[in-house]
Amino acid sequence: MTDASGRSRRRFIRAVGAGGIAALAGCSAERTADPTSEPADTTDDSGGETSDPGTTTGEPTEPMADTLVVATYPPFVNAPSTSPGAWLKREFESEFDATLVYQTPDSELNYYIERAVQGVEFEADVYVGLNTGQLIDADGQRGEGQFTDPLFAEAGALEGLDAVRDGLQFDPQNRAVPFDTGYISLVWNATMDGGDFVAPETFDELAENHAGDLITQNPTTSSTGEAFMLHTIDAFGPEGYLDYWDRLQDGGITVLGNWSDSYAAYESEEAPMVVSYSTDQVYAAAEDQDLDRHQIRFLNDQGYANPEGMARFADTDAPRLAEAFMEFMLRPEIQAGIAQRNVAFPAIADAPLPEDYAQYAKEPPESVTFTYDELEANLGTWTDQWARRFAGG
Amino acid sequence: MDRPVGAALRRRVSEARLGRALRRAREAGPAALAERVALPLLAVGTALLLAVLFYYPVATVFVDAVVEDGRLTFGPLAEVLTDEFYLGRVLGFTAYQAALSTLLSVVLGLPGAWVLARFEFRGRATLRSVTMVPFVLPSVLVAVGFYATFGADGTLNATLSAVGLPPVDLLPSLGAILVAHAFYNAPLVTRVVTAAWESVDASAVETARSLGASRPRAFLDVVLPQLLPAMLTGAALTFVFTFASFAIPLALGGAQFATIEVFIYSARQQLEYGRAASLAALETGVSLSLMALYLRYERAQAAERRGNRTLARRPLVPESWTRERLASRLAVAGYAAVVAVVFLAPLASTVYASVAGDAGLTLDSYRFLLERQTTGATFQVKPFPAIVNSVLFAAATLLVAVPMGVAMGVLTTRRFRGRWLVDALSMAPLAVSGIVVGLGMLRGLVFGFEAFGYRFTVTGAVAIVAAHAVAAYPFVVRTVAPPLDTLDRSLVESARALGASRARALVDVELPLVWPGVVAGAAFAVAISIGEFDSTVILAEGGGTYTMPVAVERFIGRRLGPATAMGTVLLAVTAAAFVVVERVGGEFRG
């Protein structure tokens, strides 16, 4: 660290001494000449960034076949509770003669879509953590700017693919392979109202008596909020969901910006119910928290399924290693490990999970979800209509 | 005197003035040369930095508003401008809440300036320093603090029920947005007005008093006019900030109170660049117009004055009590109570959340930070590097932004036609929202731009500092320009006549006279750098150059402990940084 600080000071002094533009040129030039300038550890996820060519359009110089760059969303490697990232990397590297490097852009898949549109190369070989909406976004942008070739390759005949549970496959073109799944449900606090609070069991009951007791998320800025809105569309139809939301709004439902805002509000007992995941108790139990504050309710006995997929970038220079990684991800013991660390359900039926996992991770009697085709045609309209109606109130 | 500045300066200075200055300086030696060209060079550097790190990236975003399929159509922009929902409901509500937020921030901030500028008490300097702390807090922490304080089960309701009052339901609501905006911006108002109040000339007040004016009369006629530009600076900045507010309405107001920024963000997330860019253009247009209007007003206000003896502060606890003294001290006490509720309670709630567990107090969250530091993987965000990076970036930002700001302050207080436009353009970083700048940086700089067969990319520590400096220097300009403008020109002219170079006159004559403004600007630079999130996370993407706010963001999870523990560290480091800035900065005055 002292090394890095010292360097940035030197860079800085040079920058000030030479004025603005020299600072920038210095920055780029130095990055090309000194690609491993950050802590000299190629397994650092900064590898994705620091080895980014500064001023050239050329290929990365190092051979990529023994390095797999896995792009994913930040909590997959960096959650404060548990995250599968570090464990996966250890397991993978102990078996394969390869280095796994993570890239975790804040804007997630959009980062790569935007690069494709701008015609900028990137190093990621696999994306882990795709959902249907993101896949639709990626396909929808094709044709913009320099984004002409497909972003993802077809998965092909991966070993273990046939073990993936029915109904989780969400990509009609078989590029994305599900590796875990979650269900959006209500999480409720049985200690509220002096211990008398009981969550409603149906959507109608929710609107009639309990709309003011629920915190959910804005579908335009949050994936859990989007899933909950889609669940109401499944229940009331594209013609009826806005009227249903009118009822919720009249009843005083709270719609916050994202999952963490709303979970914070829920933890402050701002309301007795929040839209979250049906695996909520897994973490609460591990932390010895009061499970009465972490009850699960599936409205209409349904949960909205949100499978997470992985896909190989079409222009990866390590296609074989990427395939090997995807097969590795589908192995039963790895599936169990991911599910526990990512607090989710495995994508295959026979993952060796501990006995009590099923006790805390609740599965809905019935799962609902929209298909790729249904969402591709309607998602944008549904969300926009929702935003206009709700903000107008 | 009509001197070309800003964009035109680059061209003309390099040809004519620089040539003349160089000729003259060559006769006078290298030191004089450095002095003569220092200011113009700084200005050119500032302009280039702005062009590369601000105007170019922002322009790449705005292109989406007017270009479709490579043709100039103005289609997306026209679509938004003809949509009554965006023009009426979204823009209307955004302006409405910004106006109310500004009003509340000024009302809450002004008494603070009065207390800090007019009373002497133990810890005044420290208190003055830490007024900047709210400014740097990540919005997620503020949301947590607000929920813990004003929420249904929060400390406010606990206090109310303890004294037998009915509970109040404050969250989420428009009121919560307004109070949170005041939490962020009232200290800003306090800050700039305190700096102005501390440079009010004591002899003018004494003259008024000796001519028979009562104390209130003297305040109204002599002091207030000198505070007005600072008050309006605070109000204008607050309006612009709250107009482009994103995270607070999202966290505390919910979807019902969505601002234009929320719509920009969600359009960007849906990759609807045309709509995002058009809304951003609309938002920036409003902000920039207001900024320009304000700058014109500020010019009109500028008046010559002489002398620099400042008003003496009264002790907070007087030796003897009169009715008037009692009344003013009661007012101070009342204000302190309000401050405790609005500012201290959310901060205390955040700290409390970092040690609260299911079964009473626990240090688990801090243990998490230690564990992450010692056993965390290399690709995970660790607390200590975040602290070190934040402090280094803040120090570097300070060193870049203060000279930039002072140079621009000096140059834009010259009189020339259309300088309000130059001024407005140099102030633009304040008026463009973080989302727009962030998106532009991503597409324009991180992905790079092609020229001469190369792709130039801008990332890493130097780029972060430069981005922080671009965001911070307008504050230095704003805190330095008004006092510079009202400075007695003849002082500088005398110095120049006595043989001092322009730079020497600045350092020896002008800077000491406007020093409170420079220190206030320095504190802002540190605040901006420590609190900045958007461009840091983009320019540091995945690298080892993350900061404390980034760490807070990454530590959010199913429990609030780790994020609030990191937030508490952020609070402590930030408060210490401000105290250092002001203690060191204060010495200049002697």
Side-chain angles (χ1 to χ4, degrees), chain A residues 229-238 241 302 304 366 368-370:
Chain A
M229 180 196 75
L230 289 174
H231 198 177
T232 64
I233 296 176
D234 183 81
F236 296 94
Y241 80 105
Q302 294 171 334
Y304 192 88
E366 184 191 348
V368 294
T369 195
F370 279 101

Side-chain angles (χ1 to χ4, degrees), chain A residues 327-349:
Chain A
E327 287 176 345
F328 165 83
M329 290 278 282
L330 290 175
R331 280 190 209 159
E333 72 277 12
I334 300 298
Q335 279 284 300
I338 296 172
Q340 291 174 74
R341 290 171 178 82
N342 212 24
V343 194
F345 291 94
I348 66 172

Side-chain angles (χ1 to χ4, degrees), chain B residues 282-464:
Chain B
L282 186 61
E283 178 194 69
T284 309
V286 172
S287 300
L288 216 50
S289 313
L290 282 168
M291 191 66 93
L293 273 180
Y294 160 71
L295 290 167
R296 292 200 79 155
Y297 160 83
E298 191 186 85
R299 294 290 171 247
Q301 284 296 303
E304 302 263 323
R305 66 189 175 89
R306 38 185 89 234
N308 65 315
R309 200 159 54 81
T310 58
L311 292 166
R313 281 187 284 267
R314 289 163 281 167
L316 191 59
V317 183
E319 283 167 11
S320 63
W321 291 90
T322 64
R323 181 178 299 198
E324 194 195 355
R325 282 177 186 165
L326 184 65
S328 67
R329 274 24 169 223
L330 279 178
V332 172
Y335 180 66
V338 173
V339 165
V341 173
V342 175
F343 297 98
L344 285 185
L347 294 180
S349 303
T350 304
V351 176
Y352 176 74
S354 74
V355 293
D358 254 11
L361 298 184
T362 167
L363 286 176
D364 280 352
S365 304
Y366 293 92
R367 210 164 292 135
F368 163 82
L369 293 188
L370 276 181
E371 261 169 43
R372 182 50 67 90
Q373 179 60 40
T374 49
T375 65
T378 45
F379 49 77
Q380 289 180 322
V381 163
K382 297 181 191 182
F384 187 64
I387 297 170
V388 172
N389 285 337
S390 275
V391 170
L392 283 178
F393 291 156
T397 301
L398 186 72
L399 292 180
V400 180
V402 170
M404 268 169 77
V406 170
M408 288 306 281
V410 170
L411 291 171
T412 58
T413 47
R414 306 277 171 79
R415 274 155 231 292
F416 57 93
R417 192 189 291 275
R419 81 176 164 170
W420 65 273
L421 184 67
V422 174
D423 212 2
L425 286 177
S426 71
M427 286 294 118
L430 289 180
V432 179
S433 78
I435 289 174
V436 176
V437 176
L439 188 56
M441 284 195 165
L442 188 64
R443 299 174 68 187
L445 302 179
V446 174
F447 297 170
F449 50 95
E450 279 180 46
F452 317 115
Y454 286 94
R455 181 173 280 277
F456 294 91
T457 58
V458 181
T459 51
V462 172
I464 292 173

Side-chain angles (χ1 to χ4, degrees), chain B residues 105-121 124 127-128 131 186-200 215-216 219-220 223-224 227 230-231 311-318 321 323-339:
Chain B
S105 301
V106 170
V107 167
L108 208 55
L110 281 184
W114 172 62
V115 172
L116 285 176
R118 300 298 298 121
F119 292 100
E120 193 55 74
F121 51 92
R124 191 193 66 87
L127 189 65
R128 193 182 187 281
T131 51
L188 184 149
V189 174
T190 300
R191 190 87 195 174
V192 289
V193 176
T194 303
W197 214 321
E198 285 176 345
S199 5
V200 164
R215 203 183 280 272
F219 175 79
L220 281 178
V223 180
L224 194 62
L227 300 186
M231 280 163 60
L311 292 166
R313 281 187 284 267
R314 289 163 281 167
L316 191 59
V317 183
W321 291 90
R323 181 178 299 198
E324 194 195 355
R325 282 177 186 165
L326 184 65
S328 67
R329 274 24 169 223
L330 279 178
V332 172
Y335 180 66
V338 173
V339 165

